[in-house]
Amino acid sequence: MTGSAEGAERTPGRLAALLIDASAEAISAAGGHAGGVYLRSRTPGLLRLAVLEGLPGPLFRPWWRLHVDRPFPVADAYRLGVEVALPNATETMRRYPQFAAGLPFQFGSLHIPVTAGSSVFGVLTVLLPPAGDATELLPVRERLTRLAEDLGGALEKLRDGEGASAVTWEGGPLCVRPPASRRPSGRLGQFVWDPVTGTVTTDERLNLVLGPGAVQADGTVEGFARAVAPDDAEGILAALREAAGGRPPSLPLCVHAPDGALRLVEVWGPYEDAARPGEPAPAGTTTVRGAVLEPGPGTVADSAADLLPEGVFCLDRLGAVVYANPRAAALLRRPRSELLGRTLWEGVPWLNQPAFEDHLRGALLSPEPVHFHVRRPSAHSGDSAADPLGGDLLSMSVYPGPDLLTCTLRPGHHMADSPSGPAEAQGTPEPVGTPSLSPLYRPIVLAIALTEAVTARQVSAVVMRELLPAFGGRRLAIYLLQERHLFLAWETGFPQGFLAPFEGVGLDERLPGVETLTTGRPLFFDSMQQLADAYPGIALDATEGARAFLPLIASGRPVGSCILGFDRPRSFSTEERTVLTAMAGLIAHAMEKARRYESEAALARGLQQVLLPRRLPQHPLMETAGRYLPGTQGMEVGGDWYDVVAAGDGLALVIGDVQGHGVQAAATMGQLRSAVRAFALGDRPPDEVMSGTNRLLIDLDSGLFASCCYIRLDPATGVGQAAVAGHPRPLLRRPDGRTQVLDLPGGVVLGVDPQAQYPVTELRMETGAVLALYTDGLVERPGVDIDVGISALRVALARAGAPAAGAGGRSLAGVADRLTAKARHTVDRPDDIALLLATRRSSPLRRK
């Protein structure tokens, strides 16, 4: 974590003022605890968080930038121009599992597009306490819609007056405090600085804070800075000057009064036509506004907290420490003077831990207290005897409040006695040794695992591996929706044949697996008896365990149903139901993606079958054989090709591999194959063939590159000329069985350098020799050097035997089958494979 906003570039103060005021009004109108505004940036398709009110920016850095195509509520609100209302965590996890997986906490949210006419400027977002359902948010939505419309109109005027760039945002967000829920007990005053005249005007409350006549004596900004904090005057002046240039600090300045008391200085601006305290400013004046807060002990806690035996400290909504008792300072091993006024992660750098960040985010977003352990670095050697705190584990509790978070600390080996009841009911921290990973984080684990799954079978395997063990389940069934009927895609653990009667059931059937999809609500049964009571006559298996039926819905579209079975009766806690609902959303999105992948893979396979040669040309002195095997993992189809082309009185042997997979790779392959064929039919030299094809691929601007090997052979003499563009070198098996990798110099892959050169190398094939051209899918294995695979292919070619026309010899097609046999029987081929063999004969084959 860091305390500074990302990037130094800021939009001028007028835009910042509009956004800050809009977010403050939205938080107040919604009764929320945080909010902000996303604006479009100068990068197409990228939204940036411009203002974050009520939350510390460094803790939420992953959400500062957001692409409009991501499945997030802000992106949908912007892209679709619709309001997105998420009343609680369950609804958030159901509709936006990726968003919920990153912030798995109990809160609701509203996301309103900021528009004016046909222009969409951004999204107004408010986080609020969880509600029962979306109907409870209707009054709030109406108020926020009006605020968003007003903001859109103001931004439209700003754009029309100053240009489109005036309503875009670059860099990190401005982090500001939300409207206070109650008047602070500390002393607060405001000031206005005019950079043109250099004068500072203060209100009466600030005069009370600084003392009568402290500023009015000279009225200069330098005098004001010295009156606020003599030892920190230069820092205040620097902040004011940066604010005048459009870069107000995102966090308050922590300074000290002449008597050493803590003061916080906040700076905003610049503002045009801003009102000075007590009188309006002349038109066109640009000013900087700010406030000075002298908290005082009553602002955060009673002074008796200084005497408590446990550590107590308080944070404001931006993470700044505003109070710490002596015990907290001792447990954190930091002087109180280095804690007060600083953000917690600045004052206590060793708290810069991902687990602590997650807990603090939970306390900021959820109404319930958070209890956890945090590991403190060991004391310096030699200090252990003087360290009475005992151990490096601290037990911490964070209690949320409308304006402040109250934190308690105690050594990890000491637990407060519970007045009554179990520890969980009293909210005491988990004992040491309890897994720190909350069940709410399981969706993150599943989401990460699903990123590698691209077929329905792989998705189902991941679910079985990650979901069942997490909840102690033994049975899993996944049904997918096709033409209003549910078909079994995966099952494990159920008795053989038990699920057969449910295959192909329609959506009008009264079955839990159907109703969970049609209603969009998960169904939980603590026992089979509960299930039988709810669905009389339904077929049951022999166990008495619990069942969970989860709807698979992706982006509002029904995908199917997921059934979890348990061996024993069990209840499902609210937390577990929330997590399972989130996981169902993740599974649905993964299945939807798998469907698209498989559809595109089928299209790519069909396209490639059309583009690859159906038969190779015959020559009386040459025999050729080719093989192509598509990959079997998701979209691993489309880029490899081979060809044999008549080139004058010779033959051109071609093999290539387009980077990538799918329809685009297959289409690019077809274009390259056509180009090489055209050059070969014109009997162009190999280097010209490579250079011409290279320029064509660059002109296509597909973003892809390709490797290629081109050999022109004279069948009568066996002399060949070869050019290589970043492709594996061919193998040559001599008539006596000796096999070698041809040492052919080459150029870079096609599609990279328009000036690339491709040297030509001469080779010679004896009668009975076999030339093997191949793509890397035949010789490459994950985690193994490609040279190992090439050596294995060379040995296999040597052992394949010399092809012969007689009864005792192996045909060239048989050799090709033998070289690809292992790949054909591999279930998961990570890449497609192409192989082209050629052999030279001493005399023409006789026709029968």
Side-chain angles (χ1 to χ4, degrees):
M1 292 181 289
T2 60
S4 59
E6 179 181 284
E9 189 174 355
R10 289 284 188 224
T11 305
R14 186 176 175 187
L15 174 60
L18 290 172
L19 302 180
I20 292 172
D21 291 343
S23 61
E25 291 183 33
I27 293 171
S28 178
H33 45 64
V37 181
Y38 280 86
L39 280 188
R40 60 192 183 191
S41 68
R42 290 196 287 267
T43 302
L46 183 67
L47 300 177
R48 289 186 180 272
L49 184 58
V51 168
L52 180 61
E53 194 153 346
L55 293 173
L59 280 182
F60 295 85
R61 186 182 295 271
W63 297 272
W64 285 11
R65 295 179 292 181
L66 186 65
H67 198 277
V68 296
D69 289 330
R70 293 196 68 185
F72 275 50
V74 169
D76 278 0
Y78 179 87
R79 187 181 69 255
L80 305 176
V82 298
E83 301 171 9
V84 177
L86 302 172
N88 48 51
T90 300
E91 184 68 8
T92 303
M93 288 184 172
R94 186 180 74 83
R95 295 178 57 186
Y96 298 96
Q98 292 186 33
F99 174 65
L103 294 172
F105 310 116
Q106 296 295 328
F107 69 96
S109 61
L110 287 168
H111 311 270
I112 314 295
V114 178
T115 62
S118 60
S119 300
V120 183
F121 296 104
V123 177
L124 180 64
T125 295
V126 176
L127 308 183
L128 61 164
D133 55 46
T135 59
E136 297 181 25
L137 301 180
L138 287 176
V140 175
R141 291 173 64 179
E142 293 176 1
R143 292 195 292 269
L144 261 61
T145 298
R146 290 194 295 270
L147 287 173
E149 290 174 351
D150 293 342
L151 177 59
L155 294 178
E156 183 180 38
K157 292 180 181 178
L158 184 61
R159 179 197 62 188
D160 294 342
E162 300 184 18
S165 62
V167 290
T168 60
W169 194 266
E170 303 297 325
L174 291 174
C175 301
V176 296
R177 284 172 175 76
S181 61
R182 59 183 181 273
R183 185 174 181 180
S185 59
R187 298 189 295 171
L188 173 70
Q190 297 185 6
F191 66 90
V192 175
W193 173 50
D194 188 340
V196 177
T197 64
T199 59
V200 175
T201 306
T202 58
D203 64 7
E204 293 181 1
R205 291 177 297 173
L206 185 54
N207 294 336
L208 293 176
V209 174
L210 301 181
V215 180
Q216 283 76 2
D218 61 8
T220 65
V221 67
E222 292 81 5
F224 167 76
R226 289 193 298 270
V228 174
D231 296 333
D232 302 302
E234 289 301 322
I236 296 175
L237 291 172
L240 291 172
R241 295 186 185 109
E242 288 187 2
R247 299 184 179 90
S250 59
L251 293 174
L253 303 176
C254 172
V255 299
H256 292 86
D259 61 356
L262 172 69
R263 283 176 175 169
L264 300 178
V265 180
E266 292 201 42
V267 181
W268 314 291
Y271 291 87
E272 292 189 2
D273 302 331
R276 291 179 170 83
E279 64 179 70
T285 302
T286 300
T287 59
V288 173
R289 291 186 294 175
V292 177
L293 172 66
E294 195 170 72
T299 305
V300 293
D302 191 274
S303 59
D306 283 353
L307 306 177
L308 291 176
E310 67 179 6
V312 177
F313 62 93
C314 296
L315 309 175
D316 68 7
R317 296 293 302 184
L318 295 189
V321 180
V322 295
Y323 170 78
N325 72 355
R327 180 60 168 163
L331 287 168
L332 295 173
R333 295 196 181 120
R334 304 290 291 178
R336 294 174 76 182
S337 60
E338 296 183 16
L339 292 173
L340 296 177
R342 296 187 179 185
T343 60
L344 184 59
W345 42 92
E346 289 177 332
V348 190
W350 56 263
L351 283 176
N352 186 6
Q353 305 174 23
F356 175 76
E357 292 180 2
D358 284 331
H359 291 304
L360 192 53
R361 276 193 288 263
L364 286 162
L365 296 176
S366 304
E368 300 297 325
V370 178
H371 310 284
F372 56 97
H373 288 88
V374 63
R375 187 161 296 280
R376 176 186 58 186
S378 300
H380 296 296
S381 58
D383 293 340
S384 56
D387 180 18
L389 305 180
D392 292 323
L393 200 66
L394 297 180
S395 177
M396 183 179 291
S397 297
V398 184
Y399 299 86
D403 301 315
L404 298 174
L405 280 71
T406 302
C407 310
T408 63
L409 276 173
R410 62 179 66 90
H413 64 268
H414 172 72
M415 296 291 180
D417 296 332
S418 299
S420 62
E424 183 179 358
Q426 297 301 322
T428 57
E430 300 168 301
V432 178
T434 299
S436 61
L437 185 65
S438 165
L440 279 175
Y441 290 86
R442 298 197 194 279
I444 302 176
V445 178
L446 182 63
I448 294 172
L450 286 174
T451 57
E452 301 298 325
V454 293
T455 67
R457 182 172 60 85
Q458 291 171 345
V459 170
S460 301
V462 168
V463 174
M464 183 184 68
R465 185 175 67 247
E466 300 293 342
L467 190 147
L468 286 184
F471 292 89
R474 299 290 183 183
R475 293 166 172 78
L476 171 69
I478 295 179
Y479 285 86
L480 297 181
L481 181 65
Q482 296 180 20
E483 298 180 354
R484 297 187 59 80
H485 289 77
L486 289 173
F487 295 91
L488 185 64
W490 181 278
E491 65 94 8
T492 183
F494 287 93
Q496 186 174 4
F498 173 76
L499 297 176
F502 303 103
E503 178 72 4
V505 297
L507 294 186
D508 55 348
E509 297 282 348
R510 190 176 183 275
L511 294 169
V514 172
E515 292 192 359
T516 190
L517 180 61
T518 55
T519 64
R521 296 193 304 270
L523 302 174
F524 298 94
F525 301 95
D526 294 351
S527 66
M528 295 295 281
Q529 185 60 49
Q530 278 192 6
L531 177 60
D533 293 342
Y535 294 88
I538 189 173
L540 304 175
D541 57 33
T543 65
E544 292 296 326
R547 290 289 184 272
F549 296 83
L550 308 174
L552 303 183
I553 299 174
S555 303
R557 295 187 300 274
V559 175
S561 302
C562 178
I563 305 172
L564 299 181
F566 302 83
D567 286 344
R568 298 181 178 86
R570 57 159 295 173
S571 60
F572 297 89
S573 68
T574 301
E575 187 179 54
E576 287 177 323
R577 294 179 183 220
T578 300
V579 172
L580 287 171
T581 303
M583 289 185 161
L586 292 172
I587 297 167
H589 279 279
M591 282 295 185
E592 188 74 359
K593 182 184 71 173
R595 280 182 170 181
R596 291 195 301 268
Y597 270 49
E598 289 170 347
S599 297
E600 189 176 345
L603 177 60
R605 289 190 181 99
L607 178 61
Q608 189 165 53
Q609 287 175 1
V610 172
L611 295 175
L612 287 172
R614 293 188 177 183
R615 64 177 63 89
L616 299 178
Q618 296 183 353
H619 191 282
L621 298 178
M622 293 289 297
E623 182 183 0
T624 57
R627 294 292 183 269
Y628 172 78
L629 299 176
T632 59
Q633 294 184 0
M635 291 300 302
E636 307 302 322
V637 166
D640 292 13
W641 91 94
Y642 64 86
D643 207 354
V644 179
V645 188
D649 56 357
L651 284 180
L653 308 178
V654 188
I655 197 160
D657 184 359
V658 177
Q659 167 243 354
H661 304 92
V663 173
Q664 184 182 13
T668 303
M669 177 271 287
Q671 291 172 304
L672 295 187
R673 175 175 178 257
S674 298
V676 172
R677 285 184 65 86
F679 288 127
L681 289 171
D683 203 13
R684 305 283 290 276
D687 56 338
E688 293 185 18
V689 174
M690 289 289 96
S691 298
T693 307
N694 176 51
R695 288 191 294 270
L696 171 67
L697 183 54
I698 292 174
D699 291 342
L700 289 175
D701 196 22
S702 64
L704 302 178
F705 58 83
S707 65
C708 186
C709 179
Y710 181 93
I711 300 177
R712 186 199 182 281
L713 280 173
D714 183 348
T717 63
V719 175
Q721 292 181 316
V724 179
H727 198 84
R729 297 327 190 242
L731 302 179
L732 180 63
R733 183 189 187 278
R734 301 187 183 280
D736 58 6
R738 290 182 296 120
T739 306
Q740 68 180 100
V741 180
L742 294 180
D743 183 15
L744 303 178
V748 298
V749 292
L750 306 174
V752 174
D753 180 8
Q755 306 300 322
Q757 301 294 317
Y758 300 95
V760 177
T761 304
E762 186 173 290
L763 58 90
R764 183 177 297 274
M765 280 187 67
E766 303 171 77
T767 300
V770 177
L771 187 64
L773 288 72
Y774 53 92
T775 57
D776 56 8
L778 185 61
V779 294
E780 202 167 31
R781 297 292 179 271
V784 180
D785 193 285
I786 191 173
D787 290 337
V788 176
I790 293 175
S791 297
L793 179 62
R794 181 177 60 82
V795 172
L797 180 60
R799 293 175 177 175
R810 186 188 302 274
S811 68
L812 191 63
V815 174
D817 290 337
R818 183 169 182 177
L819 296 180
T820 56
K822 183 177 180 180
R824 281 200 310 275
H825 292 91
T826 300
V827 176
D828 287 330
R829 288 191 296 273
D831 201 357
D832 42 352
I833 293 170
L835 173 69
L836 177 62
L837 302 180
T839 185
R840 179 170 171 251
R841 302 192 177 280
S842 59
S843 60
L845 291 176
R846 296 180 179 177
R847 292 184 180 273
K848 292 186 178 180

